[in-house]
């Protein structure tokens, strides 16, 4: 009798443990959630992450705290999330740099992009081609003519803050025949500041981070990197109009470690999808030139999109002849 009682107790332990885990996931989140943004404040990932996190707080009833951890083109912050507990309380606001481009740009990473599941894409963003507001060139063709007319010893400087701005620059160089001297910055904002000061000739930051600088007249946009013209800037040419097929976009995402329980992943996908498709949120995202994927993008579609982007960016980087560091 005692033996049967003992066996009964033992057989009930897995079910009890499973039930406790299930209740914990049902109650998720029951404390603040940390959202690691692996770039500095003011960038597109930071701006969009805050818009979405604000909505998540209202749905979850818990704070979603943005934690900027810039460094090494997104590798520092991404590595932090990789080492965090897989309990759903540390999320990565992933990006083209951290999840798609870095594997082809660097020989060693402190993480494997396949260690992450992307639960939702919360922004797809093209880039601007920006020049100094007083520059004499106002079109892509005029810029190319200026660059090719430079005398030996008078370089054309292109600034970049991450892979999302470096690849359009390199592809433009490859397609146009213009030779750039590259200048690396910590992120996009200082590259735009140096453009306004006349220290570089052109930068290709994403439209979200550079929107306010263009609208204020601080710098001038002469083109976009999407295949077609931007809905927000219909009078601005696409580089593809001069160089057919030219297209480079970026994305941002909410991603987490694969080991996070699937129930938590599904809850986050549902909440984020609902958030970005609210009319007022979609309007705000469009105002900063970020579009959202269809409402039926589940975890599988979101993760597949990121993996496909990784393949595309491997091709972009190879075509642009960027050697891994």
């Amino acid at each position: 009798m005692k033996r049967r009682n003992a066996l009964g107790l033992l057989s009930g332990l897995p079910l009890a443990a499973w039930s406790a885990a299930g209740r914990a996931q049902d109650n998720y989140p029951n404390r603040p959630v940390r959202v690691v943004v692996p770039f500095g404040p003011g960038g597109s990932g930071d701006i969009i992450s805050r818009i979405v996190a604000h909505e998540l707080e209202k749905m979850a009833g818990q704070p979603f705290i943005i934690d900027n951890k810039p460094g090494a083109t997104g590798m520092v912050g991404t590595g932090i999330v990789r080492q965090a507990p897989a309990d759903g309380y540390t999320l990565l606001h992933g990006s083209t740099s951290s999840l798609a481009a870095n594997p082809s740009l660097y020989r060693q990473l402190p993480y494997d992009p396949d260690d992450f599941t992307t639960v939702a894409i919360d922004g797809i963003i093209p880039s601007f081609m920006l020049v100094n507001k007083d520059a004499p060139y106002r079109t892509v063709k005029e810029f190319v003519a200026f660059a090719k007319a430079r005398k030996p010893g008078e370089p054309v400087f292109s600034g970049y803050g991450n892979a999302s701005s470096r690849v359009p620059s390199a592809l433009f160089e490859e397609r146009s025949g213009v030779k750039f001297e590259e200048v690396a910055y910590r992120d996009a904002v200082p590259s735009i500041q140096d453009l306004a000061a006349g220290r570089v000739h052109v930068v290709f930051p994403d439209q979200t981070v550079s929107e306010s600088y263009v609208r204020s007249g601080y710098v001038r946009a002469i083109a976009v990197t999407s295949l077609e013209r931007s809905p927000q800037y219909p009078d601005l040419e696409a580089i593809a109009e001069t160089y057919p097929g030219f297209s480079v976009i970026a994305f941002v995402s909410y991603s987490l470690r694969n080991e996070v329980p699937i129930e938590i992943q599904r809850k986050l996908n549902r909440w984020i999808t609902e958030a970005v498709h609210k009319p007022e949120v979609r309007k705000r995202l469009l105002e900063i030139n970020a579009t959202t994927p269809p409402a039926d993008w589940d975890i599988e579609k979101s993760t597949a999109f990121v993996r496909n982007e990784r393949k595309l960016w491997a091709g972009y980087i190879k075509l642009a002849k960027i050697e891994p560091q």
Side-chain angles (χ1 to χ4, degrees):
M1 187 70 173
K2 290 181 179 178
R3 183 173 181 271
R4 285 198 298 270
N5 288 341
L7 289 173
L9 288 171
L10 287 172
S11 65
L13 283 176
L15 179 59
W18 180 88
S19 298
R23 286 194 299 272
Q25 292 156 23
D26 288 342
N27 294 334
Y28 172 87
N30 55 23
R31 55 187 168 88
V33 178
R34 179 190 187 195
V35 181
V36 175
V37 177
F39 294 98
S44 60
D46 179 69
I47 294 169
I48 296 173
S49 72
R50 292 176 189 275
I51 293 172
V52 176
H54 179 67
E55 298 299 320
L56 293 177
E57 288 182 346
K58 292 188 287 186
M59 296 176 183
Q62 291 288 342
F64 277 68
I65 301 168
I66 302 301
D67 187 7
N68 296 96
K69 293 293 183 183
T73 321
M75 288 188 280
V76 171
T78 307
I80 288 172
V81 179
R82 178 63 186 87
Q83 296 302 318
D87 56 9
Y89 286 90
T90 304
L91 311 180
L92 171 68
H93 200 244
S95 68
T96 299
S97 294
S98 58
L99 296 178
N102 280 352
S104 295
L105 289 172
Y106 299 95
R107 292 187 176 90
Q108 291 186 324
L109 295 177
Y111 60 90
D112 183 340
D114 283 328
D115 290 337
F116 295 93
T117 295
T118 294
V119 295
I121 305 296
D122 54 332
I124 297 174
I125 313 142
S127 296
F128 280 126
M129 180 179 181
L130 299 183
V131 299
N132 186 281
K133 66 182 180 64
D134 297 320
Y137 31 83
R138 293 181 172 272
T139 67
V140 171
K141 289 181 179 179
E142 288 176 358
F143 175 84
V144 171
F146 156 82
K148 290 185 175 180
R150 301 280 283 181
K151 298 177 182 178
E154 294 182 345
V156 179
F157 293 102
S158 173
Y160 68 92
N162 53 33
S164 296
S165 56
R166 187 180 184 188
V167 162
S169 172
L171 287 179
F172 187 89
E173 185 180 39
E174 190 270 338
R175 295 296 301 274
S176 68
V178 171
K179 178 62 178 175
F180 288 142
E181 288 289 334
E182 292 186 319
V183 182
Y185 294 88
R186 184 188 65 221
D187 54 50
V189 173
S191 73
I192 296 171
Q193 292 169 339
D194 266 12
L195 178 69
R199 299 187 184 97
V200 295
H201 295 96
V202 63
V203 297
F204 295 81
D206 67 62
Q207 291 185 5
T208 299
V209 69
S210 51
E211 169 85 16
S212 61
Y213 298 101
V214 172
R215 290 200 180 277
S216 68
Y218 187 69
V219 292
R220 184 195 305 149
I222 63 172
V224 295
T225 64
S226 48
L227 195 59
E228 298 178 349
R229 296 192 179 201
S230 168
Q232 299 295 98
Y233 292 88
D235 296 330
L236 198 60
E237 68 177 306
I239 295 174
E241 293 173 40
T242 301
Y243 301 106
F246 189 108
S247 177
V248 182
I249 61 168
F251 70 86
V252 286
S253 66
Y254 271 80
S255 303
L256 36 68
R257 289 183 54 183
N258 294 337
E259 297 87 352
V260 172
I262 187 63
E263 291 81 3
I264 292 176
Q265 295 185 25
R266 288 171 179 161
K267 183 177 285 189
L268 287 168
N269 170 265
R270 185 172 68 253
W271 282 348
I272 295 165
T273 301
E274 181 181 337
V276 299
H277 284 278
K278 287 183 177 180
E280 65 274 20
V281 175
R282 290 188 69 181
K283 181 177 182 292
R284 191 172 177 194
L285 292 175
L286 279 172
E287 286 171 352
I288 53 175
N289 297 285
T291 59
T292 53
D296 67 348
W297 274 33
D298 56 12
I299 296 169
E300 184 178 357
K301 288 180 179 178
S302 299
T303 298
F305 169 83
V306 172
R307 289 176 178 165
N308 186 61
E309 282 294 301
R310 188 150 62 244
K311 293 178 183 178
L312 290 175
W313 277 77
Y316 293 156
I317 290 165
K318 183 177 181 180
L319 178 64
K321 299 181 176 63
I322 300 174
E323 291 295 325
Q325 298 180 17

